[in-house]
Amino acid sequence: MITFKKLMQIIGLSVLVTSVTHSPAPAVAASATTRSATAGASAIQVYLNNEWITSTAGGATLINNTVMLSLDKLYVRGAAITYDEHSRMLTIQNLLTQGSMKIGSTNASVNGKQITYSAAFQQVNKQLYIPLRFVNDAIGGSLEWDAVHREAFISYPEPAGLSK
């Protein structure tokens, strides 16, 4: 049975506006042909439940052979993404999972388990970048990489009532 407090937490998580400004990523067609046509030869495209993830900083990039996402305007339906400038800690959580990672560290905690990633959460030219795998793990997603087309696909079970 869901208590009133738990219900309010669910609602709060789904509409939480954090210190990171969020806006939905533009929707794209679900076919691989359309996805590939929108990607440049060297661009890296990331899709979350068939929605292209972009940001004003330019979307995904490769840093030290690791796909990194810009934290600027990163939006994941049903998840709260917060960055604490004082502690330099990023937290991503939804109803089932929670992950946290500190700037400069390759280590993160996901649901209490310590995980080491191939690249650190870092700042490049005043922009924060986080490993794509950390985002995937923190939301409880399933990640697939298409090396030929340089596309990453995250499948993420959205909470009931939030799907389109």
Side-chain angles (χ1 to χ4, degrees):
M1 173 175 252
I2 296 179
T3 64
F4 179 74
K5 182 178 179 181
K6 190 67 173 174
L7 180 61
M8 293 310 293
Q9 288 175 339
I10 292 169
I11 293 170
L13 280 175
S14 66
V15 297
L16 180 65
V17 177
T18 64
S19 60
V20 179
T21 306
H22 296 108
S23 64
V28 296
S31 74
T33 305
T34 302
R35 287 188 198 124
S36 298
T38 62
S42 63
I44 297 171
Q45 304 298 315
V46 178
Y47 300 90
L48 176 66
N49 290 347
N50 292 323
E51 288 188 19
W52 182 34
I53 296 176
T54 75
S55 76
T56 57
T61 190
L62 201 59
I63 300 175
N64 297 329
N65 293 321
T66 300
V67 176
M68 304 287 280
L69 288 177
S70 167
L71 190 57
D72 181 47
K73 295 199 178 209
L74 179 62
Y75 174 80
V76 178
R77 270 175 91 86
I81 302 171
T82 57
Y83 174 66
D84 182 327
E85 286 188 37
H86 179 69
S87 67
R88 302 181 68 169
M89 182 73 71
L90 171 72
T91 303
I92 301 174
Q93 68 181 43
N94 61 24
L95 295 175
L96 304 174
T97 59
Q98 177 176 338
S100 58
M101 189 175 210
K102 190 170 187 168
I103 282 188
S105 178
T106 57
N107 297 319
S109 173
V110 177
N111 287 339
K113 180 181 175 188
Q114 294 300 309
I115 300 174
T116 300
Y117 293 92
S118 58
F121 173 32
Q122 58 193 282
Q123 185 171 356
V124 178
N125 297 327
K126 297 184 179 183
Q127 184 58 49
L128 297 174
Y129 287 91
I130 51 179
L132 174 63
R133 288 199 180 273
F134 168 70
V135 174
N136 177 71
D137 293 345
I139 64 172
S142 174
L143 180 62
E144 292 182 33
W145 172 248
D146 178 347
V148 172
H149 296 105
R150 297 175 54 97
E151 297 174 321
F153 303 93
I154 297 175
S155 298
Y156 165 65
E158 295 182 23
L162 291 180
S163 59
K164 290 183 176 180

